[in-house]
Amino acid sequence: MGTSEEARVNDVQRKARDIRLVIFDVDGVLTDGSLFLGDDGQEYKAFHSRDGHGMTLLLQGGVKIAIITGRSSEVVRLRMAHLGIEHVYQGHRDKLPPYRELKAALGLEDAQIAYVGDDLVDLPVMGRVGLAIAVQDAHPLVKRRAHWQTSHDGGRGAARDVCEMILEAQGTLAALLEPYRVHP
């Protein structure tokens, strides 16, 4: 690893240590971006179970999670309730107002917040947070704005990448994974 790459990795780890809230977009981040619409107008989305488990670990590690998404969907409300995520903002194409509201309500600074996005609508918030993250298959402009990029695509393990990276940087991942270790 070259010195500039080492410096970038160290900078991301330093930023990740300060994170107290991770905000996820939904379509293209927690899902692969596909929208399934039934004849009755019902919307369906597929979520990856490993992403959900990563989010559960992040919450157990003391990091709060919020959702800000441009679309509104009952399935998103149900999935987030199942995961225990309290802060869910749907139907916000302009994501800055809910971002500001969350920041104030939780008493956080920009440097304590990470945002995970995939498309142009995510850029205004990504430009403010302490740790901007792009999923592997994000729009090129989003990748350029990001401090870090996941190794998995949206809806295919990207959220798990984020959760484990932050928990590792904060020194809590090993303890959270301990119950799952096989002991002889």
Side-chain angles (χ1 to χ4, degrees), residues 5-183:
E5 178 64 15
E6 287 175 24
R8 188 193 63 75
V9 168
N10 289 336
D11 185 53
V12 168
Q13 290 173 341
R14 183 185 51 74
K15 290 174 185 302
R17 279 193 290 275
D18 294 335
I19 298 303
R20 298 295 166 257
L21 170 68
V22 178
I23 303 170
F24 290 93
D25 177 31
V26 175
D27 296 319
V29 172
L30 296 180
T31 75
D32 68 5
S34 298
L35 299 175
F36 301 96
L37 302 173
D39 288 340
D40 60 357
Q42 181 67 37
E43 185 173 299
Y44 302 91
K45 297 177 188 284
F47 297 96
H48 201 294
S49 63
R50 285 192 300 247
D51 285 341
H53 190 77
M55 294 167 83
T56 299
L57 290 171
L58 193 64
L59 290 169
Q60 289 172 355
V63 178
K64 294 182 184 317
I65 296 175
I67 302 299
I68 302 177
T69 180
R71 298 178 59 83
S72 293
S73 172
E74 178 65 6
V75 71
V76 170
R77 186 193 67 75
L78 292 169
R79 178 65 173 151
M80 297 311 124
H82 180 258
L83 294 173
I85 297 169
E86 301 173 26
H87 307 286
V88 179
Y89 295 82
Q90 296 196 68
H92 291 274
R93 188 146 174 82
D94 179 358
K95 297 182 179 191
L96 283 174
Y99 172 75
R100 290 184 187 114
E101 182 180 320
L102 261 171
K103 188 172 118 173
L106 298 175
L108 297 173
E109 299 295 323
D110 291 329
Q112 296 175 297
I113 303 171
Y115 184 89
V116 188
D118 74 303
D119 211 344
L120 302 175
V121 68
D122 299 311
L123 290 173
V125 175
M126 289 178 74
R128 286 174 169 71
V129 297
L131 181 58
I133 301 170
V135 297
Q136 178 64 40
D137 58 339
H139 188 282
L141 291 175
V142 173
K143 288 181 176 184
R144 268 189 249 144
R145 176 71 59 90
H147 300 112
W148 189 73
Q149 185 176 305
T150 66
S151 58
H152 289 90
D153 289 348
R156 298 284 183 246
R160 182 67 167 265
D161 292 343
V162 171
C163 297
E164 289 185 357
M165 182 273 289
I166 290 171
L167 291 169
E168 179 71 27
Q170 295 182 358
T172 56
L173 182 61
L176 289 165
L177 295 179
E178 184 59 31
Y180 305 103
R181 299 201 190 277
V182 177
H183 299 282

